[in-house]
Amino acid sequence: MEHKEYIAGRICELVDMTKDELMKVMEVPPDSKMGDIAFPCFILAKKMRKAPPMIASELLEKIKDDNAFEKVEAVGGYLNFFFNRKEFIESVMKKVKDSNGEFAKSQEGKGKTVLVEYSSPNIAKPFHIGHLFSTAVGNSLARIYAYLGYDVQRLNHLGDWGTQFGKLISAYKRWGVREVIEKDPINELLKIYVKFHEEAEKEPSLEDEAREYFKSLENGDKETTELWQYFRDVSLKEFKRVYDMLGVSFDSYAGESFYGDKMQEVVDILDEKGLICESDGAKVVMLDELNVPPCIILKSDGATIYATRDIAAALYRKREYDFEKNIYVVGTPQALHFKQIFAVIKKAGFDWADNCTHVGFGLVKFPDKKLSTRHGDVVFLEDVLNESIQKTLDIITNNNPDMENKEEVATKIGIGAILYTFLKNSREKDIVFSWDSMLDFEGESAPYVQYSYARGRSILRRCEIDYSEADFSLATSDEEYELVKQINMFGSAISDAAAKNEPFYINRYVTNLARCFNKFYNNYPILKSDVDDETKKARLALVDATTQVIKSALLLLGIETVESM
Ligand code: ARG
């Protein structure tokens, strides 16, 4: 934030501390009555052999005439800086205006590639709520890195390989009916897959049959490959329907199967480096030094596993994309798996293993069990999305029966409400799913922020004056100043979100921005006739800037705005 930077620049000329050191100790007072930034002088007491209040008043004399400050106060060992509001507001407004709707966008990632792997559901299995969590977080991170100028590659590491496909093929051959499957593919495939397990309990030879089918799949047998391809196609078609609803897209769907012919290389590399040990017939890499169980590379029957495919995928990605960062947005229960594969890669001598990051997230809990579960216990994602849209539509219809594009608005708000819920807290926290708080138009929710945006847009539509030139000395109240300060924080919210791979920084930012906006809006009428035109212009310019930034921030979360609601 440049307030701090400016002050640090001034103070470092006067004392024996560097600008960076100063930046670290400066504070934002809890109440803006105590200034915009405070510098605690006791930091210097030892060095200068003086009492903090003394240091504060000495510094005050040297700095107080600076025009950038409205005033500077020495209070109890603190130096409190009050900025010149008009100048600050003017400079932020200019920056927003010059950014053409992309305030705080940067080029810091130019020329560097970030891979964000997210969603990654399993073929012929339901796309469940955990995959939605991954999709929401990954989609947001991808947008954040793109905003920072990185070349972002969005990867969907589909679970489309493994011994379970032998079972599915066996099940299909026994009980599958294509016409039935066509109507509701994932659900039907799941049904016959479950039946396979039930039957195999009674008739263990089914397991051998499945193993044979998987082997023939691995050997590229035409018929089994065609079946597998069919399962993959119908599943992907369903997944894409959900992605379309969410406004999510991918640059690659190279899933586990893609690495089938790239696994021997992994085994060879690890063998060559002398890392492979035998353990009960399996080939493993020991990771005792990290206090982590060995990573299995080949099972005793010679088959590769999930981990082998992930190692192959990482090697491939490095070669193909030469990434700066390789991010995996996958639930926290898989933390050990990622620890193991990153460690194996590092042991094999690839230092870029340190640029691979597992971005975990918590569980989703359904306390009220009010979700429609037409598929038994599994919560189907599409049902959740549709339910959210329907509930939003009911609310809108109730509030505003004559609204024209109700369905479209309800879709954007209903989907936004869900995405917001996943991005509201630090991602490792579990989520408690509650329709009431998700769709609370006045609470901490997407509809609240979207509504603030729509409110601002409606004022701008109704105003009849040109506010492109405004005098911001007419908009320096506490509420206006707080609003502009909050607008100005967008850049640091983005940096924090990227540094920690935590979209919730953006979420918290935009919610606070909406709150500041509503405070301003509720205190200062804009279009009323007793407000003079010059004041109107300044306020309208604030509204315009705020709506632009809300829109950009929501987009970084994957949430769309509506012009009225
Ligand atoms: N398909 C897996 C699952 O549903 C997630 C894949 C995560 N990505 C990876 N590279 N292992 O649990």
Side-chain angles (χ1 to χ4, degrees), residues 66-102:
D66 188 326
N67 279 336
F69 309 127
E70 213 150 79
K71 67 176 174 192
V72 187
E73 287 175 351
V75 181
Y78 277 91
L79 260 190
N80 293 339
F81 293 87
F82 296 77
F83 270 84
N84 183 319
R85 293 187 175 187
K86 172 188 170 248
E87 269 174 28
F88 174 73
I89 294 174
E90 220 165 62
S91 81
V92 175
M93 287 299 108
K94 181 165 176 346
K95 276 190 285 177
V96 175
K97 200 164 168 185
D98 293 346
S99 72
N100 288 321
E102 293 190 310

Side-chain angles (χ1 to χ4, degrees), residues 68-212:
F69 309 127
E70 213 150 79
K71 67 176 174 192
V72 187
E73 287 175 351
V75 181
Y78 277 91
L79 260 190
N80 293 339
F81 293 87
F82 296 77
F83 270 84
N84 183 319
R85 293 187 175 187
K86 172 188 170 248
E87 269 174 28
F88 174 73
I89 294 174
E90 220 165 62
S91 81
V92 175
M93 287 299 108
K94 181 165 176 346
K95 276 190 285 177
V96 175
K97 200 164 168 185
D98 293 346
S99 72
N100 288 321
E102 293 190 310
F103 182 54
K105 190 177 166 78
S106 92
Q107 287 300 323
E108 66 171 76
K110 205 168 173 205
K112 296 179 201 152
T113 301
V114 172
L115 310 184
V116 187
E117 186 218 286
Y118 59 103
S119 201
S120 308
N122 301 321
I123 294 302
K125 292 265 181 67
F127 189 139
H128 61 70
I129 205 90
H131 294 124
L132 177 57
F133 206 154
S134 166
T135 309
V137 171
N139 177 47
S140 175
L141 289 178
R143 287 165 182 251
I144 290 166
Y145 281 106
Y147 209 72
L148 291 174
Y150 289 90
D151 173 12
V152 176
Q153 295 292 321
R154 298 153 162 86
L155 312 180
N156 194 329
H157 188 79
L158 289 177
D160 59 0
W161 206 248
T163 45
Q164 71 273 26
F165 286 97
K167 298 178 187 173
L168 189 60
I169 289 167
S170 159
Y172 180 83
K173 291 217 160 202
R174 286 166 180 271
W175 313 293
V177 183
R178 214 170 250 242
E179 296 74 52
V180 180
I181 292 176
E182 221 87 307
K183 284 198 194 97
D184 190 3
I186 295 188
N187 204 24
E188 286 305 322
L189 291 175
L190 186 64
K191 246 189 222 161
I192 58 170
Y193 185 69
V194 170
K195 188 174 164 100
F196 176 89
H197 282 273
E198 285 163 6
E199 297 294 322
E201 293 258 304
K202 293 176 248 162
E203 181 53 65
S205 69
L206 278 181
E207 297 281 358
D208 298 327
E209 180 180 305
R211 250 191 299 278
E212 282 308 309

Side-chain angles (χ1 to χ4, degrees), residues 117 120-122 131 157 159 306 310 328 330 334 337-338:
E117 186 218 286
S120 308
N122 301 321
H131 294 124
H157 188 79
Y306 186 54
D310 255 326
Y328 298 81
V330 182
Q334 292 193 34
H337 162 76
F338 285 105

Side-chain angles (χ1 to χ4, degrees), residues 225-242:
T225 304
E226 265 170 22
L227 268 182
W228 167 84
Q229 187 68 46
Y230 169 69
F231 300 150
R232 192 180 190 276
D233 291 346
V234 289
S235 304
L236 204 50
K237 203 166 138 204
E238 299 235 329
F239 298 155
K240 283 188 173 159
R241 216 168 48 227
V242 173

